[in-house]
């Protein structure tokens, strides 16, 4: 008996020792990395304007949570709360005035990436860097398979020597040899030049991937956005057929319908989307258009988004994620109401920021695609005769839905002729959940509430002769119709009688006048 008790105690201890640390490890793995961005300025009115926003989107594609902090608002002890910090310094003529930041940085022992001017001495020493400042340069940037000629740079710290691992190269007419675009070792990384909208935006992603030690394959996708119930649905079907025949998987980001979901236009929209889904197309829900942060104050965004997802699911459609401008992930209202149903997102660049409850910390997603314009890769491709390798992050080439068939055919032919290999979104794991429906994808299969979705391409015909407002039964309806006819007869008789009297009076007056 005593031996059995000892054996049970030993067994329980083994369970605690083996199982609990494993669960802790799993919990630690599931928690996304939290990164702090510290910046000296947003460089408004200069060529560097927007580079902080571009960095935010790049970090989101790596699945990390981001907190934004300017040096002006920095509070003592902030750095020590983060494992990784990125410093963006857009000005070289201003010294750092925050003594709290300087004091904290001197003691900071986490991973740090520096972008731009004012490279800290301990980072420079750790990377074994020697710098040479150049002014008013026209440079050529080469990174992997991509190249951009003739980039105008006002100030550029050149890395002329380093002991770290280097990335890409930069050349110019004033230098006899190429210098690295960026450099990294185990803890530190340095990028002298970064701007939004040119090849440096893509080049930075190569350094970020290694700095985060990201493993696994990355994929490229195609997304078509701005699809509405009143879009050219025949053209949408034609596009699905063309891409299916070319063997190109794609996604359609559909604009949600928040009311009148029983109208025929909506029914035809759903039937067309079902056909698109059957032609190897994946469905995303686009974020609703925000005209003003103060409009629709009484609108329950969460309930309306949930209703639309349920309408799709009830019709056999499996939406797998949401497409939204980046600022949505930095707004507590949009996160809690509009995005809470999804674990996957395609982040578009900000076009018109309409915050409702702005926060400086982003919402990370299990899957986050970095969106690019279709011509971005093509214009910078260095070797056009070879297959384009996957980029360092999951990427979506985003097209606006086409205006006509000629534009569609031209774009599809370019995609078919390209060397880019596009992935099928539903082969990755995505989850969408409402109170009523659980939607998921994995390995190429779609599931709604545990049932595999049958990809049937048959479409139901929807009657266009539809009364948009139901006619109610009315009391005395027949009597009112009879009454209307009587009034019409009386009015016509009165008009005829008035006409006869008018003519008779005119003739009598005329005779009297001649006499």
């Amino acid at each position: 008996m005593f031996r059995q008790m000892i054996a049970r105690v030993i067994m329980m201890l083994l369970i605690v020792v083996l199982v609990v640390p494993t669960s802790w490890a799993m919990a630690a793995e599931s928690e996304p990395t939290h990164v702090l961005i510290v910046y000296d300025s947003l460089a408004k009115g200069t060529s560097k304007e927007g580079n902080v926003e571009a960095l935010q989107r790049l970090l989101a594609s790596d699945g990390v949570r981001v907190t934004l902090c300017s040096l002006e608002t920095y509070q003592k002890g902030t750095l020590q709360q983060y494992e990784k910090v990125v410093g963006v310094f857009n000005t070289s003529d201003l010294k750092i005035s925050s003594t709290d930041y300087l004091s904290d940085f001197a003691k900071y022992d986490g991973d740090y990436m520096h972008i731009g001017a004012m490279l800290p001495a301990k980072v420079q020493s750790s990377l074994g860097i020697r710098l040479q400042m150049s002014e008013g340069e026209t440079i050529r940037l080469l990174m992997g398979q991509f190249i951009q000629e003739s980039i105008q740079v006002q100030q550029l710290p050149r890395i002329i020597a380093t002991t770290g691992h280097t990335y890409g190269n930069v050349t110019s007419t004033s230098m006899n040899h190429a210098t690295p675009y960026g450099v990294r070792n185990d803890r530190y990384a340095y990028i002298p030049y970064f701007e939004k909208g040119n090849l440096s935006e893509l080049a930075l992603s190569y350094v970020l991937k290694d700095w985060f030690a990201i493993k696994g394959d990355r994929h490229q996708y195609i997304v078509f956005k701005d699809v509405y119930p009143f879009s050219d649905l025949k053209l949408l079907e034609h596009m699905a057929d063309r891409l299916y025949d070319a063997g190109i998987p794609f996604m359609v980001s559909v604009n949600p319908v928040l009311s009148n979901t029983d109208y025929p236009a909506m029914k035809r929209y759903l039937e067309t989307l079902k056909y698109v889904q059957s032609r190897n197309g994946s469905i995303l829900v686009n974020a609703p258009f925000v005209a003003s942060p103060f409009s629709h104050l009484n609108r329950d965004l969460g309930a309306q988004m949930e209703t639309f997802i349920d309408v799709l699911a009830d019709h056999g459609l499996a939406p797998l994620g949401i497409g939204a401008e980046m600022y949505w992930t930095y707004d507590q209202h949009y996160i809690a109401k509009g995005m809470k149903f999804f674990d996957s997102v395609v982040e578009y660049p900000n076009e018109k920021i309409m915050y409702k409850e702005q926060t400086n910390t982003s919402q990370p997603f299990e899957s986050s695609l970095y969106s690019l314009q279709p011509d971005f890769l093509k214009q910078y491709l260095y070797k056009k005769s070879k297959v384009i390798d996957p980029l360092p992050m999951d990427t979506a080439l985003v097209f606006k839905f086409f205006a006509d068939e000629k534009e569609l055919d031209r774009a599809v032919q370019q995609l078919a002729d390209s060397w880019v290999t596009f992935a099928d979104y539903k082969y990755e794991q995505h989850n969408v959940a409402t109170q009523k429906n659980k939607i998921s994808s994995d390995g190429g299969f779609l599931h709604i509430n545990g049932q595999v979705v049958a990809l049937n391409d048959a479409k139901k015909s929807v009657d266009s002769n539809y009364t948009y407002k139901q006619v109610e039964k009315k009391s005395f309806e027949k009597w009112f119709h009879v009454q209307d006819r009587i009034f019409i007869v009386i009015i016509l008789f009165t008009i005829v009688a008035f006409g006869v009297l008018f003519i008779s009076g005119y003739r009598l007056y005329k005779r009297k006048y001649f006499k």
Side-chain angles (χ1 to χ4, degrees):
M1 185 73 177
F2 182 69
R3 290 179 179 178
Q4 290 179 351
M5 291 178 63
I6 293 176
R8 289 176 181 174
V9 171
I10 293 174
M11 184 62 70
M12 291 176 65
L13 289 173
L14 285 172
I15 292 173
V16 171
V17 171
L18 295 175
V19 175
V20 173
T22 303
S23 62
W24 287 346
M26 291 176 64
E29 290 177 1
S30 63
E31 185 68 23
T33 303
H34 199 166
V35 179
L36 176 68
I37 297 178
V38 179
Y39 63 93
D40 62 345
S41 77
L42 296 177
K44 292 187 178 296
T46 73
S47 62
K48 294 180 181 178
E49 181 178 355
N51 65 353
V52 173
E53 178 185 310
L55 175 61
Q56 291 173 265
R57 286 208 305 129
L58 283 169
L59 291 174
S61 69
D62 290 323
V64 303
R65 187 188 303 275
V66 178
T67 293
L68 205 59
C69 176
S70 68
L71 284 177
E72 293 179 353
T73 61
Y74 181 84
Q75 296 182 355
K76 188 173 181 60
T78 301
L79 281 182
Q80 278 63 35
Q81 301 174 26
Y82 299 87
E83 296 179 8
K84 289 182 176 288
V85 175
V86 181
V88 181
F89 289 80
N90 288 321
T91 55
S92 58
D93 55 349
L94 294 176
K95 291 185 177 181
I96 300 175
S97 59
S98 175
T99 56
D100 289 339
Y101 174 79
L102 292 173
S103 174
D104 286 349
F105 186 80
K107 298 177 291 185
Y108 182 68
D109 58 0
D111 296 344
Y112 178 76
M113 173 181 285
H114 191 89
I115 298 175
M118 310 290 288
L119 179 63
K122 72 174 184 179
V123 178
Q124 185 170 347
S125 175
S126 177
L127 292 170
I129 290 177
R130 285 196 296 119
L131 294 175
Q132 179 180 333
M133 185 65 69
S134 60
E135 303 278 348
E137 287 274 15
T138 300
I139 64 171
R140 183 184 76 165
L141 174 58
L142 176 65
M143 176 62 76
Q145 298 172 281
F146 303 97
I147 187 171
Q148 184 177 2
E149 307 276 359
S150 303
I151 304 175
Q152 300 293 326
V153 181
Q154 294 180 349
Q155 290 185 329
L156 178 65
R158 286 186 174 274
I159 304 171
I160 59 175
T162 181
T163 59
H165 178 76
T166 60
Y167 296 81
N169 66 65
V170 176
T171 57
S172 71
T173 54
S174 65
M175 294 288 290
N176 296 326
H177 62 280
T179 58
Y181 166 75
V183 60
R184 180 194 62 85
N185 64 12
D186 293 337
R187 284 187 53 200
Y188 296 120
Y190 175 49
I191 309 296
Y193 167 76
F194 174 58
E195 289 187 2
K196 178 184 178 181
N198 64 22
L199 186 57
S200 66
E201 187 174 339
L202 182 61
L204 179 58
S205 66
Y206 287 84
V207 188
L208 285 171
K209 180 182 178 182
D210 290 346
W211 192 56
F212 284 112
I214 295 173
K215 307 296 182 183
D217 297 332
R218 313 302 263 177
H219 304 96
Q220 296 176 93
Y221 302 90
I222 299 174
V223 176
F224 298 94
K225 61 180 295 193
D226 294 339
V227 177
Y228 301 87
F230 294 101
S231 298
D232 188 338
L233 300 183
K234 291 293 183 183
L235 188 63
L236 183 58
E237 292 177 19
H238 178 63
M239 182 192 77
D241 288 335
R242 288 290 311 275
L243 291 170
Y244 182 80
D245 293 340
I248 301 175
F250 62 99
M251 292 183 280
V252 175
S253 188
V254 302
N255 286 70
V257 178
L258 305 180
S259 61
N260 302 326
T261 56
D262 58 339
Y263 282 11
M266 182 62 180
K267 301 294 185 184
R268 287 188 287 271
Y269 189 44
L270 295 173
E271 288 295 328
T272 302
L273 293 180
K274 194 171 182 180
Y275 182 79
V276 167
Q277 182 175 262
S278 74
R279 307 301 276 176
N280 216 18
S282 298
I283 306 299
L284 302 175
V285 178
N286 210 68
F289 176 73
V290 181
S292 167
F294 305 107
S295 65
H296 308 294
L297 293 178
N298 297 322
R299 184 177 78 177
D300 191 339
L301 177 62
Q304 290 179 321
M305 288 290 286
E306 185 171 21
T307 298
F308 180 68
I309 295 169
D310 288 339
V311 168
L312 294 178
D314 293 344
H315 206 78
L317 288 159
L320 301 180
I322 184 171
E325 293 179 39
M326 187 195 71
Y327 79 90
W328 270 58
T329 64
Y330 286 83
D331 189 290
Q332 292 178 347
H333 177 77
Y334 299 138
I335 292 169
K337 299 294 184 180
M339 309 184 83
K340 65 178 181 179
F341 310 102
F342 309 92
D343 70 352
S344 301
V345 65
V346 178
E347 284 199 14
Y348 306 130
N350 292 336
E351 293 183 8
K352 187 176 182 180
I353 297 177
M354 291 287 183
Y355 284 118
K356 198 174 183 70
E357 295 179 21
Q358 183 179 1
T359 176
N360 66 337
T361 299
S362 69
Q363 172 65 38
F365 288 81
E366 292 292 329
S367 170
S368 180
L369 303 189
Y370 186 81
S371 61
L372 289 173
Q373 293 300 310
D375 294 334
F376 187 88
L377 298 181
K378 185 174 65 176
Q379 67 178 323
Y380 297 134
L381 187 60
Y382 183 49
K383 297 179 180 178
K384 297 184 178 181
S385 60
K386 62 183 293 188
V387 175
I388 299 177
D389 297 328
L391 299 177
M393 65 289 198
D394 287 331
T395 309
L397 297 185
V398 180
F399 294 79
K400 287 190 175 181
F401 186 57
F402 306 106
D404 53 48
E405 194 163 336
K406 184 181 295 185
E407 184 182 344
L408 161 65
D409 290 340
R410 183 170 57 250
V412 172
Q413 191 60 49
Q414 290 176 353
L415 290 171
D417 294 340
S418 71
W419 289 91
V420 182
T421 301
F422 296 105
D424 192 336
Y425 197 62
K426 61 180 174 288
Y427 272 81
E428 301 300 318
Q429 188 168 359
H430 307 284
N431 296 282
V432 179
T434 66
Q435 292 184 356
K436 181 181 177 182
N437 292 290
K438 300 293 184 289
I439 304 165
S440 64
S441 72
D442 196 5
F445 293 98
L446 301 173
H447 298 85
I448 298 178
N449 297 324
Q451 301 295 316
V452 177
V453 177
L455 300 180
N456 184 3
D457 62 357
K459 301 197 308 297
K460 297 178 182 178
S461 62
V462 181
D463 186 10
S464 60
N465 186 16
Y466 178 83
T467 304
Y468 278 80
K469 186 174 181 180
Q470 296 296 325
V471 180
E472 298 177 359
K473 291 185 179 181
K474 305 176 182 64
S475 301
F476 305 107
E477 185 174 8
K478 290 183 179 180
W479 165 245
F480 287 135
H481 281 307
V482 173
Q483 192 178 50
D484 289 342
R485 291 191 181 97
I486 293 173
F487 284 140
I488 291 172
V489 171
I490 293 173
I491 292 170
L492 289 174
F493 178 80
T494 303
I495 292 174
V496 172
F498 179 78
V500 171
L501 292 173
F502 179 81
I503 294 171
S504 299
Y506 173 76
R507 288 177 177 176
L508 289 172
Y509 180 79
K510 187 176 180 182
R511 289 174 185 173
K512 184 178 180 181
Y513 176 78
F514 281 118
K515 288 179 181 180

